[in-house]
Amino acid sequence: MIVGGSVRVPGDKSITHRALLLSALARGTSRIGGGLTSLDARSTARVLRRLGAEVSPLRQGATVTVRGGRLAPPELPLDCGNSGTTCRLLLGLLAGQRFSATLTGDASLRRRPMRRVTHPLAEMGARFDDGGHDGLPLTVRGGRLQPLRWELPVASAQLKSALLLAGLTGSVPVELTEPAPSRDHTERMLRALGYTLEQREGKIVFHPDGKPTPLALQVPGDFSSAMFLIGAAILAERGSLRIEQVGVNPTRTAALEVLRRMGAAVEIENRDEPFGEPVATLVTGPAELRGTTVEGSEVPGLIDEIPLLAVLASRAERTTTFRDVGELRVKESDRLALLARNLTAVGAQAVIDGDNLLVTGGDAPPRGRVTTGGDHRIAMAFTVLGTIPGARITIDDPACAAVSYPGFVDSLASIRVA
């Protein structure tokens, strides 16, 4: 394949979720341009409507308006679909509300653990009924909250953001200690809205010293989505690809350092920083890849990029080791098992050793059937692998890519020159 041209990717999923949630709390009308219109983002919009916020339809190219203020008790369960971000952040938002709500989701989301979020929220004073199992459905009974000082057991932007949102809605300070840095979109957005949030010596200290105000922002392109097009360009035979207006938040771009060690170059041009989030154009092209080691300390900054990095590793010289990636087992699927199984199914060498994944590269055209388990990132990663000349990969559920990247297959086709 020869790649070329300039392309944009859908809006950042993490920022879209947070913008919608904070807009629902603000009295007045917020305007969100460039937001993601995927199934996950629509799940957040849907539950906010059930809580009384007025959210316009999420359509490609349209500015989303949110008229928020006082949330109301929902008459029906809040269906979060497949979106773990929607569910976990919503738990924090609801913890400070003076009513009860039941959260549920699809079969995949109902299996994902929630007690890592509900435990510290319960310490703040919220009450939960999960029927005795660590998952959905569960009912949250919010109310008067207490200040929280908490040491996070894992580096998790979802957990951290849920606790910060609880501090916001409950009007109590929150002090968190992270074992390693994780995505900081919530912190940046809260600062942009005028709240006091300090970060020092691994601690995050939040003071709810304001009121939610309407937002007016343009959501940058999602870096995790851009990585799949970057991967296709790296595997191409010739050409150069430009991806414009991509969010390059430093807590999201650790994958670029891994690519550099593997021998691929991604240039960053035209930097800007609207609403506290850095944005840039990414330029890349084909590369001869070599194996590397991804340390556990790097994983929080590239957890969503591991499926793409793993399929790239299957085309690299020598072995690539991903250390301490056990968190992949509790994503939209058991992503760790699916990666190893599917890489093996298409002729690559992949082994799980405890919480480590080892992928040994080869040059034979990948051929076989991929089982996604409904996981959008598995589907997109192996679709990228299927662009290699001679590849014959069948993906059982390619449509699940719409969870985070509507129109992914069309975007992939658009960068193909020949």
Side-chain angles (χ1 to χ4, degrees):
M1 181 174 78
I2 302 174
V3 296
S6 180
V7 67
R8 291 194 179 189
V9 295
D12 186 284
K13 184 157 74 83
S14 297
I15 295 174
T16 300
H17 283 302
R18 288 156 174 80
L20 289 170
L21 290 165
L22 288 171
S23 295
L25 296 174
R27 291 189 180 276
T29 301
S30 296
R31 291 174 172 81
I32 304 166
L36 184 63
T37 61
S38 72
L39 297 179
D40 274 11
R42 289 177 179 175
S43 291
T44 294
R46 180 176 60 248
V47 299
L48 291 175
R49 292 186 191 108
R50 288 194 175 176
L51 288 165
E54 297 177 20
V55 185
S56 67
L58 275 59
R59 297 194 180 104
Q60 191 68 34
T63 296
V64 176
T65 60
V66 181
R67 189 170 182 82
R70 189 177 182 86
L71 301 183
E75 296 180 358
L76 297 170
L78 302 174
D79 184 356
C80 301
N82 186 249
S83 179
T85 303
T86 300
C87 181
R88 289 176 174 141
L89 269 60
L90 194 62
L91 288 170
L93 183 144
L94 292 173
Q97 305 295 326
R98 303 294 179 90
F99 57 74
S100 299
T102 298
L103 279 64
T104 188
D106 68 8
S108 171
L109 185 59
R110 290 197 300 271
R111 291 192 298 267
R112 296 178 70 178
M114 296 295 157
R115 286 182 180 164
R116 63 171 60 171
V117 180
T118 60
H119 183 194
L121 290 175
E123 292 291 316
M124 296 180 76
R127 293 174 294 160
F128 299 91
D129 179 4
D130 60 12
H133 63 93
D134 184 9
L136 301 180
L138 67 80
T139 298
V140 52
R141 295 177 175 84
R144 187 180 300 276
L145 300 184
Q146 302 173 7
L148 177 71
R149 180 176 293 173
W150 195 258
E151 186 169 331
L152 277 65
V154 294
S156 167
Q158 290 181 0
L159 171 54
K160 172 178 64 176
S161 297
L163 301 179
L164 291 172
L165 285 173
L168 175 65
T169 60
S171 298
V172 294
V174 172
E175 181 178 314
L176 306 175
T177 302
E178 287 191 286
S182 62
R183 298 179 181 186
D184 67 353
H185 299 300
T186 302
E187 296 95 305
R188 287 172 179 266
M189 198 169 291
L190 289 172
R191 285 199 198 95
L193 289 170
Y195 288 92
T196 300
L197 191 147
E198 305 168 8
Q199 291 176 275
R200 57 178 184 269
E201 299 177 356
K203 294 187 185 301
I204 300 166
V205 181
F206 172 62
H207 299 280
D209 50 359
K211 292 183 178 180
T213 55
L215 282 71
L217 76 144
Q218 185 72 22
V219 178
D222 192 293
F223 176 80
S224 296
S225 294
M227 274 292 294
F228 293 102
L229 301 186
I230 290 171
I234 289 171
L235 293 178
E237 298 164 283
R238 299 195 304 278
S240 178
L241 178 66
R242 297 177 64 84
I243 310 175
E244 298 180 345
Q245 291 294 300
V246 179
V248 288
N249 183 309
T251 63
R252 293 285 299 278
T253 55
L256 296 183
E257 169 59 22
V258 176
L259 289 179
R260 187 194 64 77
R261 296 201 302 264
M262 294 179 75
V266 180
E267 302 297 329
I268 301 177
E269 301 178 354
N270 304 325
R271 291 179 181 266
D272 196 6
E273 194 163 321
F275 209 79
E277 285 284 352
V279 178
T281 296
L282 304 179
V283 184
T284 191
E288 296 291 329
L289 299 174
R290 56 181 177 268
T292 188
T293 297
V294 178
E295 299 292 348
S297 59
E298 297 178 279
V299 169
L302 49 74
I303 189 71
D304 287 338
E305 287 71 62
I306 289 174
L308 186 277
L309 292 172
V311 301
L312 292 180
S314 75
R315 310 304 299 174
E317 293 183 5
R318 304 189 301 274
T319 297
T320 297
T321 301
F322 299 88
R323 297 192 188 279
D324 301 326
V325 290
E327 183 72 7
L328 290 174
R329 293 191 172 97
V330 292
K331 287 296 186 178
E332 286 84 337
S333 64
D334 182 342
R335 202 171 269 174
L336 182 57
L338 278 177
L339 274 172
R341 187 184 313 150
N342 286 316
L343 285 168
T344 302
V346 299
Q349 298 181 51
V351 176
I352 296 172
D353 180 13
D355 283 342
N356 303 328
L357 174 67
L358 288 74
V359 182
T360 301
D363 55 11
R367 296 176 181 177
R369 180 176 176 82
V370 168
T371 302
T372 65
D375 190 315
H376 54 125
R377 299 197 193 278
I378 296 290
M380 289 188 285
F382 283 89
T383 300
V384 168
L385 189 61
T387 63
I388 291 172
R392 289 203 298 268
I393 294 177
T394 301
I395 296 173
D396 70 344
D397 184 14
C400 69
V403 165
S404 63
Y405 197 152
F408 169 66
V409 173
D410 291 338
S411 288
L412 197 57
S414 75
I415 70 173
R416 185 192 299 263
V417 176

